[in-house]
């Protein structure tokens, strides 16, 4: 069991927070209950309340708790878990799951809010594009991704990849935050392509880049409120070892599609994990956004395969989604 407190919230927001914990505290990866801040593992801090921010800065004991910054202005925050206003169930569940998933402990929590009376530094706000986004943004036929210990070449037109790296090695390189990555584009094959390097299907490599190189951010063009649907399930080789991926496949197979917030609220999959899956599916061309017209048309159309519908229903039932 973990405990959550709040500092500086209005009476209305505090009531909402307590109600959400009562309703959903047992649906997270660990059981969360409300408590006084001096007995709490984490604290929801209202960043729009200057007195609350001052109280936080002036209390060494309070700063030992895991901070969750509540604010209407994302740009005013840095290095913290964040909840947007108004308080909603899905973001709260996602943040609490992420704290448990990251294994953070209150005694070692670090937080740096904006200095009192100062404006946020633009350098702290801007973030470099994730590796997944950088790959997605490439327009040329050939792309070279150069790590310190190897290179990966992509032929986007023919959906092929050539590299001396194994999937395991590539995963390790992406996971190393200190690893510099240089991406180049060309309309012809790069001259430094190693002789004898075999061109193979690019899907396993693009999938790994999406899963390991998303940094918790959706690719451009994929809005959190978009209703997303899988066009086809990824290869079993890519998803068979992950219960989360099986759950996401079932959820995103609905004809009406599903939003990111709905995924987080209706499953035990963390927000970052869902984002990584969505980005990976986008990179390999297995996802689409469902429009209102398409959704309406599909709801009127008769089912073309009762067997397929029954199979998906059984899968969802087994996965409890």
């Amino acid at each position: 069991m973990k405990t959550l407190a709040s500092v500086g919230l209005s009476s209305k927001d505090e009531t909402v927070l307590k109600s959400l914990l009562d309703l959903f505290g047992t649906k997270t990866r660990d059981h969360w209950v409300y408590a006084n801040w001096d007995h709490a593992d984490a604290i929801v801090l209202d960043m729009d309340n200057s007195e609350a921010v001052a109280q936080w800065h002036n209390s060494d004991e309070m700063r030992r708790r895991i901070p969750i910054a509540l604010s209407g202005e994302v740009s005013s925050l840095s290095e913290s878990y964040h909840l947007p206003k108004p308080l909603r169930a899905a973001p709260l569940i996602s943040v609490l799951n992420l704290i448990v998933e990251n294994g953070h402990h209150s005694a070692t929590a670090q937080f740096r809010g904006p200095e009192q009376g100062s404006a946020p530094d633009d350098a702290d706000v801007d973030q470099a594009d994730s590796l997944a986004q950088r790959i997605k943004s490439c327009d040329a036929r050939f792309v070279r991704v150069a790590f310190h210990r190897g290179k990966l070449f992509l032929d986007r037109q023919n959906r092929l990849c050539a590299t001396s790296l194994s999937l395991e090695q590539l995963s390790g390189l992406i996971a190393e935050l200190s690893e510099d990555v240089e991406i180049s584009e060309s309309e012809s094959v790069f001259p430094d392509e190693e002789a004898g390097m075999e061109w193979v299907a690019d899907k396993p490599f693009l999938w790994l880049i999406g899963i390991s190189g998303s940094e918790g951010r959706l690719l451009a063009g994929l809005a959190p409120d978009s209703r997303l649907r899988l066009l086809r399930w990824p290869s079993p080789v890519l998803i068979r070892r992950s219960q989360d991926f099986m759950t996401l496949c079932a959820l995103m197979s609905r004809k009406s599609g599903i939003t990111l917030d709905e995924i987080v609220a209706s499953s035990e999959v963390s927000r970052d994990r869902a984002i990584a899956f969505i980005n990976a599916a986008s990179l390999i061309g297995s996802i689409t956004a469902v429009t209102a017209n398409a959704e309406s048309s599909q709801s009127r159309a008769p089912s073309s395969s009762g067997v397929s519908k029954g199979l998906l229903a059984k899968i969802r039932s087994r996965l409890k989604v």
Side-chain angles (χ1 to χ4, degrees), residues 8-164:
L9 272 64
S10 66
S11 58
K12 177 183 176 181
D13 283 341
E14 186 176 22
T15 299
V16 170
L17 179 61
K18 290 179 179 178
S19 298
L20 291 176
L21 279 183
D22 288 341
L23 291 171
F24 301 105
T26 59
K27 298 183 182 296
T28 54
R29 293 184 183 274
D30 206 334
H31 185 183
W32 287 82
V33 296
Y34 197 82
N36 294 327
W37 73 261
D38 53 342
H39 294 96
D41 293 300
I43 297 179
V44 177
L45 175 66
D46 191 336
M47 295 296 295
D48 301 329
N49 184 333
S50 59
E51 293 183 1
V53 174
Q55 185 180 358
W56 172 272
H57 281 290
N58 294 330
S59 173
D60 291 337
E61 183 64 25
M62 191 177 291
R63 289 202 304 273
R64 291 175 65 83
R65 272 63 189 174
I66 300 168
I68 304 174
L70 176 68
S71 174
E73 296 293 335
V74 177
S75 61
S76 68
L77 309 172
S78 63
E79 297 182 11
S80 71
Y81 295 103
H82 170 247
L83 284 174
K85 289 184 176 180
L87 278 167
R88 305 283 188 194
L92 177 62
I93 293 172
S94 177
V95 167
L96 297 182
N97 281 339
L98 189 58
I99 289 173
V100 174
E101 189 174 283
N102 288 342
H104 282 181
H105 302 286
S106 58
T108 59
Q110 297 293 321
F111 173 76
R112 185 184 66 204
E115 294 297 328
Q116 292 172 265
S118 66
D121 188 344
D122 288 341
D124 290 333
V125 177
D126 293 337
Q127 289 180 301
D129 285 339
S130 66
L131 177 59
Q133 181 60 59
R134 293 171 67 189
I135 295 295
K136 181 73 172 181
S137 300
C138 292
D139 295 323
R141 173 178 174 178
F142 292 98
V143 177
R144 177 180 60 195
V145 185
F147 301 90
H148 283 321
R149 296 191 291 276
K151 297 175 183 177
L152 179 147
F153 299 89
L154 295 169
D155 179 347
R156 305 309 302 276
Q157 178 176 312
N158 294 312
R159 299 188 175 183
L160 297 173
C161 173
T163 180
S164 58

Side-chain angles (χ1 to χ4, degrees), residues 221-223 225-231 252 255-258 286-292 294-295 298:
L222 297 175
D225 57 352
S226 297
R227 301 200 67 82
L228 303 171
R229 178 172 62 87
L230 281 179
L231 296 170
M252 299 184 69
K255 289 184 177 181
S256 60
I258 189 169
S286 293
I287 204 170
T288 187
V290 178
T291 63
E295 181 181 347
Q298 287 171 341

Side-chain angles (χ1 to χ4, degrees), residues 34 45 72 78 83 86 182 184 202 264 271 274:
Y34 197 82
L45 175 66
S78 63
L83 284 174
E182 293 184 3
S184 307
D202 65 358
V264 175
R271 191 178 188 85

